[in-house]
Amino acid sequence: MNLTLEALRILDMIDRKGSFAAAAVALDRVPSSLTYTVRKLEDDLDVLLFDRRGHRARLTDAGSELLIEGRHLLRAADQLEQRVKRTATGWEVELRIVVDSMVPFESMLPLIADFSREGSGTRLRFSEEVMNGTWEALLHDRADLIIGATQDSPEIIRMSGDFQTRPLGSVEWMFAVAQGHPLAHQTEPISAAMLQQHRAVAVGDSGRALAAITVGLLSGQDTLTVPSVRAKLLAQVAGLGCGHLPRSLAAPYLASGALNEKQTTEPKPAGHCMIAWRNAARGKCLAWFLDRLAQPATQHAMLGQG
């Protein structure tokens, strides 16, 4: 006989119960059928799987090795069965969500907790991108849903007809420096010429295929490039540079005095954030998230405004 899942389940149950008779009861089988299966498997593999001396059936070294690996197969088969059943009910096996660094991940936690209570069995896989990297994740099928994209969608997204986009909310920007930064006591509004003399902190675009986006930097200005909006905030609090920050993210640091808001001659206008997904995606998990992301309370929480 070829090695089968049934044979592995029998070996597993005998090992767990300690005897062929107890395993037969647990599997609702007659003991002779278990004995036949094990002996046939031993003959086919030409190895002894159980040491039958004594009252308890004990695995040999070969039997232990077979069962260790066999249990991986049993778990994989059980998981596959559950995934097939979930798919049949309309729930995705997995939903890949890419969150732009503009959205603090801690704002996603209540949403994840609420979804977990649905008991759907769908796995959630989150990752973070920045600027065009967020759009690329959707375009290159590394994401089923993107949340918080901060730039207008690329033309290929708009023109293909394969994607849908929806506003998430607006972002109010403010210019800030640390308490001890040279610009902290500069007369306002601060000119572009004065800003150019000081290092800016910028978030690097994580995109690779689409043209990189640079926002708010002056020609010739020294720049510290960091991987996320959160990293930009921390760098500015540390006095390592200046730049615009989302007001909602900077608010606690403004209140504590760690950051000073400064007016500039060229303020950054309010921006917008988007969510987007593929038209072909129709699972219940995606529908659940789209429904929640359409609610004003959720939108405010995503952007730190709730």
Side-chain angles (χ1 to χ4, degrees):
M1 82 188 306
N2 293 324
L3 183 62
T4 64
L5 292 176
E6 179 187 13
L8 289 173
R9 288 194 176 95
I10 289 173
L11 293 180
D12 176 61
M13 191 57 69
I14 294 171
D15 181 59
R16 293 180 188 279
K17 295 298 184 180
S19 72
F20 282 66
V25 172
L27 294 172
D28 195 23
R29 303 274 293 274
V30 296
S32 59
S33 70
L34 272 62
T35 300
Y36 173 81
T37 298
V38 172
R39 285 181 175 169
K40 186 67 171 65
L41 184 59
E42 288 177 326
D43 290 342
D44 290 347
L45 297 176
D46 195 24
V47 297
L48 188 65
L49 299 176
F50 282 98
D51 182 350
R52 294 169 174 81
R53 294 173 297 179
H55 297 292
R56 183 178 177 88
R58 298 185 183 277
L59 288 166
T60 62
D61 291 343
S64 294
E65 182 64 23
L66 175 62
L67 190 53
I68 287 172
E69 297 302 321
R71 280 171 173 157
H72 294 313
L73 295 176
L74 290 175
R75 283 193 292 270
D78 289 341
Q79 290 169 1
L80 176 59
E81 181 180 349
Q82 292 304 315
R83 289 199 297 271
V84 170
K85 290 179 178 179
R86 286 198 298 272
T87 301
T89 63
W91 290 101
E92 301 92 326
V93 173
E94 179 178 82
L95 189 72
R96 302 164 300 166
I97 302 175
V98 168
V99 181
D100 192 280
S101 74
M102 180 62 65
V103 177
F105 189 74
E106 53 264 33
S107 69
M108 298 296 305
L109 300 181
L111 203 61
I112 296 171
D114 287 348
F115 179 73
S116 297
R117 285 188 278 272
E118 295 289 322
S120 70
T122 299
R123 296 193 302 264
L124 301 179
R125 181 181 294 274
F126 286 88
S127 57
E128 183 180 75
E129 296 286 349
V130 182
M131 298 184 188
N132 269 340
T134 306
W135 290 110
E136 281 187 16
L138 185 66
L139 185 62
H140 296 162
D141 196 26
R142 299 196 310 273
D144 303 303
L145 171 67
I146 62 173
I147 300 175
T150 55
Q151 306 297 322
D152 290 334
S153 58
E155 185 176 3
I156 190 171
I157 294 280
R158 296 194 300 272
M159 301 302 292
S160 72
D162 294 332
F163 307 93
Q164 289 194 49
T165 62
R166 196 168 71 197
L168 178 64
S170 60
V171 179
E172 181 184 357
W173 296 94
M174 43 80 63
F175 189 86
V177 294
Q179 182 75 19
H181 192 277
L183 292 177
H185 304 290
Q186 179 66 35
T187 302
E188 302 175 74
I190 303 174
S191 67
M194 178 60 68
L195 293 180
Q196 191 178 33
Q197 299 175 31
H198 298 273
R199 181 168 59 184
V201 181
V203 180
D205 190 338
S206 64
R208 294 293 181 269
L210 299 172
I213 297 174
T214 301
V215 179
L217 297 179
L218 300 171
S219 178
Q221 187 176 20
D222 183 25
T223 305
L224 170 64
T225 303
V226 296
S228 67
V229 175
R230 178 71 179 175
K232 173 178 167 65
L233 168 69
L234 296 177
Q236 290 186 214
V237 170
L240 300 178
C242 60
H244 289 89
L245 292 167
R247 181 175 294 280
S248 59
L249 191 64
Y253 299 89
L254 294 171
S256 69
L259 285 176
N260 285 1
E261 179 177 4
K262 304 297 290 186
Q263 301 301 316
T264 66
T265 56
E266 299 179 14
K268 184 176 181 177
H272 62 272
C273 288
M274 309 287 292
I275 64 172
W277 64 96
R278 290 180 174 272
N279 281 328
R282 302 180 183 276
K284 290 182 178 180
C285 181
L286 176 62
W288 187 94
F289 273 89
L290 292 177
D291 178 68
R292 288 296 298 271
L293 290 168
Q295 299 176 14
T298 303
Q299 294 173 354
H300 294 158
M302 291 293 99
L303 300 176
Q305 299 165 357

